[in-house]
Amino acid sequence: MKKQNTLKILLIASLLIVAGYLCYDYFSVKPEVVSYSNFLENLNDKKISNVKISDKDIMFELNTVDKKSFSTQNPNNPDLIERILLSGAKIENKSNFSDVLSMIFDIVFYAFFVVIIIFVIKKFISPNTFKIVRKTNTKFDDIVGMDDLKNSMLQIAQMMKNPSYYQKKGIRVPKGILMEGAPGNGKTMFARALANEAKINFIPTKATDFESMFMSIGPLKVKMLFKKARRNAPCIVFIDEFDGIGTKRNYNGSAIETENTRIVTALLNELDGFTVNDGVLVVAATNSRKALDEALIRPGRFDANYIVPYPDYKDRILLVKKYMIGKNVESDLTPETLAKMFDSFSCAQIESVINKASMICSQKNKELISIDDIKESLKVFV
């Protein structure tokens, strides 16, 4: 609100200045405009009492009773001031109102520009950019199937809860976990469940959080993120869409690639700066491990790599049962039947198809979801 009020004040001040200038220009008494030769003639005859010089005009008064003012164009003659002084007239270098107005406009413009820059910088690199989630409320029980991956994650959760116990056994807590898999299979849920099971802070981010119209803001955000994570350790930093900022470095000189290289370098520096006592674990989710910079995913940085697969037949049955809770279906629409229809579907896709079928059923004013409703909803995803 304070920033908006500042902008409003600057805008109102600018409008008042313009209005003041227009009123001054309209109501002020303007001097009579004469030729420059007329001015020189009066100057030579020593009839001029007072002269005011601006960059564009010369205003002068005759030493008559009415003190009438005249104006002529200023030729910017370097000898003119000396001639005026020799004539006995008083001379004054004075900026006209338009010059003063121009100066005020410049001040207002620069002030407005500075306020905008400060506002943008604070918006892009504000300490509140990355929020800390104290409790994710996501459990491994919320994830259907993938028991092997759950067991691996549970072990890491125990290591985060009691790192000294594992250090005595010579086991180092991983610096980073790379989770690869198709969208919608639960990479984010695994990261949230890991933080909840370990009972530590969770900072969720995504690749777009590091993008900016200004160069070097991305690397600054990386440093700010890890600085915040260390202050709130033990902590999990989750980076979704990791292939959006961790792609292989390309030194072709373009601005986008240069910024990407700086972000990757900043990530490398932060990962290399970790110690076993930092209590910060980076979990990154990607759709393609091959797209990532090799230096990022080498052992010692992201040294735990897991594949989050598509659900198999047994897991699809469990998913269908979960997503069918609260829905009325026809007797021939069994979880086994649907599991076969959902072959190669992600968890999110299965949920979307069932939800779409429910909507279709409702539109037809039916009580029970049929196999035809499922087939119709599948057309959106095939």
Side-chain angles (χ1 to χ4, degrees):
M1 292 297 295
K2 291 182 178 180
K3 295 174 182 176
Q4 293 179 351
N5 291 336
T6 302
L7 294 176
K8 288 180 181 179
I9 291 172
L10 289 174
L11 180 61
I12 293 172
S14 301
L15 293 175
L16 289 174
I17 291 171
V18 173
Y21 171 73
L22 293 176
C23 291
Y24 173 84
D25 187 64
Y26 182 80
F27 292 107
S28 61
V29 179
K30 297 178 177 59
E32 181 182 343
V33 179
V34 296
S35 64
Y36 184 68
S37 59
N38 181 283
F39 167 71
L40 290 179
E41 182 179 347
N42 285 296
L43 185 65
N44 293 332
D45 293 340
K46 298 184 178 181
K47 294 181 179 180
I48 297 177
S49 62
N50 188 39
V51 179
K52 296 179 181 179
I53 301 177
S54 66
D55 292 336
K56 296 180 179 180
D57 302 313
I58 298 175
M59 295 179 60
F60 62 96
E61 296 178 355
L62 300 179
N63 51 13
T64 56
V65 178
D66 56 4
K67 297 288 184 179
K68 189 174 181 180
S69 298
F70 299 90
S71 174
T72 188
Q73 189 175 2
N74 184 0
N76 292 311
N77 186 344
D79 299 328
L80 180 61
I81 295 178
E82 183 181 4
R83 293 183 61 182
I84 294 173
L85 292 173
L86 291 173
S87 71
K90 295 179 180 180
I91 188 170
E92 181 180 355
N93 291 322
K94 186 175 182 180
S95 299
N96 55 33
F97 187 78
S98 62
D99 295 331
V100 176
L101 182 66
S102 177
M103 181 182 68
I104 293 174
F105 267 128
D106 288 341
I107 294 173
V108 171
F109 171 78
Y110 287 119
F112 184 80
F113 183 75
V114 168
V115 169
I116 291 295
I117 291 295
I118 293 174
F119 172 78
V120 170
I121 290 176
K122 284 187 175 182
K123 180 177 178 62
F124 281 106
I125 60 174
S126 169
N128 297 322
T129 301
F130 304 107
K131 295 182 179 180
I132 300 172
V133 180
R134 303 294 179 184
K135 192 175 182 181
T136 64
N137 294 318
T138 303
K139 302 176 182 178
F140 283 117
D141 291 339
D142 298 329
I143 303 172
V144 175
M146 294 182 274
D147 293 331
D148 291 340
L149 184 53
K150 286 181 184 178
N151 291 332
S152 299
M153 286 290 186
L154 282 168
Q155 183 184 26
I156 293 176
Q158 293 300 321
M159 294 171 70
M160 293 294 293
K161 285 163 73 172
N162 192 5
S164 60
Y165 172 78
Y166 286 90
Q167 286 172 26
K168 291 177 181 178
K169 291 187 173 185
I171 301 174
R172 175 176 59 82
V173 179
K175 290 184 179 180
I177 298 175
L178 185 65
M179 305 189 71
E180 181 184 7
N185 275 338
K187 297 187 294 294
T188 302
M189 285 190 69
F190 266 110
R192 294 176 62 87
L194 178 61
N196 187 68
E197 182 65 31
K199 294 180 172 55
I200 58 178
N201 295 323
F202 182 72
I203 304 179
T205 69
K206 54 186 178 300
T208 51
D209 291 335
F210 301 92
E211 295 176 355
S212 172
M213 67 179 72
F214 299 102
M215 293 290 290
S216 300
I217 294 295
L220 281 176
K221 286 186 174 182
V222 171
K223 294 178 181 178
M224 182 177 66
L225 168 63
F226 284 96
K227 184 177 180 181
K228 192 170 195 176
R230 288 186 177 95
R231 286 201 309 265
N232 293 275
C235 177
I236 288 179
V237 173
F238 176 65
I239 307 176
D240 199 7
E241 304 164 0
F242 191 53
D243 40 303
I245 59 170
T247 51
K248 294 178 181 179
R249 286 168 287 183
N250 188 338
Y251 301 95
N252 62 10
S254 68
I256 294 176
E257 292 297 339
T258 300
E259 182 71 355
N260 178 72
T261 298
R262 289 174 177 171
I263 291 175
V264 172
T265 303
L267 284 168
L268 293 173
N269 291 336
E270 293 299 332
L271 290 170
D272 288 342
F274 282 2
T275 67
V276 292
N277 297 320
D278 276 335
V280 178
L281 175 65
V282 182
V283 179
T286 179
N287 299 328
S288 175
R289 187 175 187 273
K290 294 179 180 179
L292 298 174
D293 193 277
E294 294 178 359
L296 268 179
I297 56 178
R298 71 160 176 80
R301 288 175 179 149
F302 284 94
D303 39 15
N305 299 280
Y306 299 111
I307 301 293
V308 183
Y310 284 102
D312 58 20
Y313 177 68
K314 292 182 179 179
D315 289 342
R316 292 198 299 273
I317 292 176
L318 296 174
L319 285 167
V320 170
K321 289 180 179 179
K322 177 181 178 180
Y323 297 140
M324 281 296 189
I325 294 175
K327 296 178 174 63
N328 298 319
V329 299
E330 292 183 355
S331 58
D332 60 339
L333 201 60
T334 63
E336 290 76 14
T337 301
L338 289 178
K340 293 177 181 178
M341 296 177 68
F342 295 149
D343 186 26
S344 300
F345 274 43
S346 69
C347 304
Q349 285 175 322
I350 293 173
E351 191 277 335
S352 295
V353 170
I354 293 175
N355 185 66
K356 180 66 176 177
S358 301
M359 294 173 63
I360 293 171
C361 178
S362 177
Q363 289 171 0
K364 294 178 180 178
N365 295 318
K366 298 193 306 178
E367 294 294 331
L368 302 178
I369 301 172
S370 67
I371 190 73
D372 292 331
D373 298 329
I374 295 292
K375 290 179 178 179
E376 189 174 344
S377 65
L378 280 171
K379 294 177 182 179
V380 180
F381 300 91
V382 177

